[in-house]
Amino acid sequence: MITCISVFLALGLGLLLGGTFGEQVIVKEQVQLLDRLEDRYTQAKAENVKLKQESVDLDTKGRQLLHVVSQVSDHYVQDRLPGKKVAILQLEPTELSALLTTLEKAGANVTSTTLITNSRLLYDPAGLSELGKGMAHAEGVTAQERQQRLLEGVVDSLYREGSDSTLLTELQEKQALTVNGTVAQAPDALILIGGAGDENRQRLLSLDVPLLKVLQSRGLTVVGTEPSEAAHSGVRYYREHGVSTVDNVDQTTGLVALIDVLGGAKGHFGVKKTAEALLPKLTNAKEVSAQ
């Protein structure tokens, strides 16, 4: 009996001591873990404060830089294109105020601005069947041939001297496009504003490329442009057809590059992977410095 009692007492004492020791170990590990987590939190909080301050500093420097670039660009573009006749053709709606202001400062004369308001009517077979009913609707004419002749009619009506405006009137009545300015006048250069949102992605190949070919066939000097935030870029298609491009025409540097291209510079400029440089190289640094 004494032996049995001793054994049970030993077992009980062992369990008691073991449980107490185990709880102490667990509590100690938990305290250490909480201490490490608290240290990491404190460190992350300090880094977050530092990053926020760096972000504020960068924003301030960015605004200052944009202000300087804007001031310099005003002097740079001033009277760079005196009397040059420029037309604008928008394939995608874009705010034009900054572009028009820059062209005005450069001394250019914007002869017309045209906006394609319903591009599907100019490439979708169903839309093509409704437009230009007096043009190539004979039996056996394919949709591609009909589009070709329709686009030729549009380009001629807009940019060829003495052309009939009947087709433009029909297209405006059908809400396919809107035109402001003087038509049937050949510009010295044409600014083509492309790029596309998700809903107009198909237009890049179905309309932009055929239209560009027609513009080139008519001997027009075309500059392919688009906003920096365009969801889908058309620059590579313009490049394939030998057209100089600016992929950030909504930004100050893009407007400066555009003025250079309109003045004779060649290449592909902007902020996207398809660009060769942000800006064309200066050809007369002394003149710019004097300005």
Side-chain angles (χ1 to χ4, degrees):
M1 289 179 64
I2 293 174
T3 300
C4 288
I5 292 172
S6 300
V7 170
F8 282 112
L9 286 174
L11 287 173
L13 182 62
L15 289 172
L16 177 63
L17 292 175
T20 302
F21 179 74
E23 287 179 0
Q24 291 176 346
V25 170
I26 291 173
V27 170
K28 184 178 180 180
E29 289 181 348
Q30 288 177 337
V31 170
Q32 291 175 344
L33 177 60
L34 288 173
D35 288 341
R36 289 196 298 269
L37 289 175
E38 185 175 0
D39 290 340
R40 290 183 183 179
Y41 171 74
T42 303
Q43 182 180 1
K45 186 176 180 180
E47 290 177 353
N48 188 42
V49 171
K50 181 180 178 181
L51 288 173
K52 284 184 177 180
Q53 185 59 50
E54 290 178 353
S55 178
V56 170
D57 293 341
L58 286 174
D59 285 343
T60 302
K61 291 178 181 178
R63 287 194 297 271
Q64 293 172 343
L65 180 59
L66 286 175
H67 180 66
V68 172
V69 169
S70 178
Q71 288 185 320
V72 172
S73 68
D74 285 346
H75 290 289
Y76 182 77
V77 304
Q78 190 71 37
D79 298 325
R80 293 292 302 277
L81 306 172
K84 195 178 189 72
K85 293 186 294 184
V86 178
I88 299 173
L89 178 55
Q90 295 177 267
L91 300 175
E92 191 83 357
T94 309
E95 173 57 48
L96 293 181
S97 58
L99 173 58
L100 294 175
T101 299
T102 302
L103 290 171
E104 182 181 359
K105 290 177 181 177
N109 176 25
V110 178
T111 57
S112 67
T113 59
T114 303
L115 170 64
I116 305 298
T117 51
N118 189 346
S119 59
R120 288 187 176 275
L121 291 176
L122 299 177
Y123 70 80
D124 185 82
L128 289 171
S129 65
E130 298 180 12
L131 297 175
K133 291 189 179 297
M135 302 174 56
H137 280 263
E139 184 178 351
V141 175
T142 66
Q144 183 177 358
E145 292 171 334
R146 185 176 296 120
Q147 183 195 41
Q148 173 75 16
R149 298 183 188 184
L150 179 64
L151 293 180
E152 288 174 352
V154 171
V155 171
D156 289 344
S157 298
L158 287 169
Y159 310 121
R160 177 167 286 188
E161 302 286 350
S163 296
D164 186 5
S165 62
T166 303
L167 178 60
L168 288 183
T169 301
E170 179 189 346
L171 293 174
Q172 291 185 86
E173 289 175 350
K174 295 284 188 180
Q175 298 183 343
L177 54 77
T178 59
V179 183
N180 291 298
T182 304
V183 297
Q185 181 178 119
D188 297 318
L190 173 68
I191 301 173
L192 187 64
I193 303 179
D198 292 331
E199 68 281 1
N200 285 333
R201 185 177 184 179
Q202 184 180 350
R203 194 209 71 228
L204 293 175
L205 278 175
S206 300
L207 177 60
D208 294 25
V209 173
L211 177 59
L212 178 58
K213 290 180 179 178
V214 172
L215 291 169
Q216 291 179 310
S217 72
R218 293 311 194 250
L220 292 166
T221 300
V222 181
V223 181
T225 71
E226 65 188 23
S228 59
E229 299 298 326
H232 303 284
S233 174
V235 168
R236 65 189 182 98
Y237 303 120
Y238 302 148
R239 291 190 59 161
E240 289 172 359
H241 291 84
V243 173
S244 291
T245 63
V246 177
D247 65 31
N248 61 332
V249 75
D250 56 320
Q251 299 177 349
T252 301
T253 54
L255 293 172
V256 171
L258 176 61
I259 297 302
D260 275 343
V261 173
L262 292 172
K266 304 291 183 182
H268 308 285
F269 309 102
V271 295
K272 300 177 184 177
K273 293 180 179 179
T274 47
E276 299 168 339
L278 180 63
L279 294 167
K281 292 183 179 179
L282 294 178
T283 56
N284 193 338
K286 290 184 178 180
E287 178 184 346
V288 175
S289 178
Q291 290 179 350

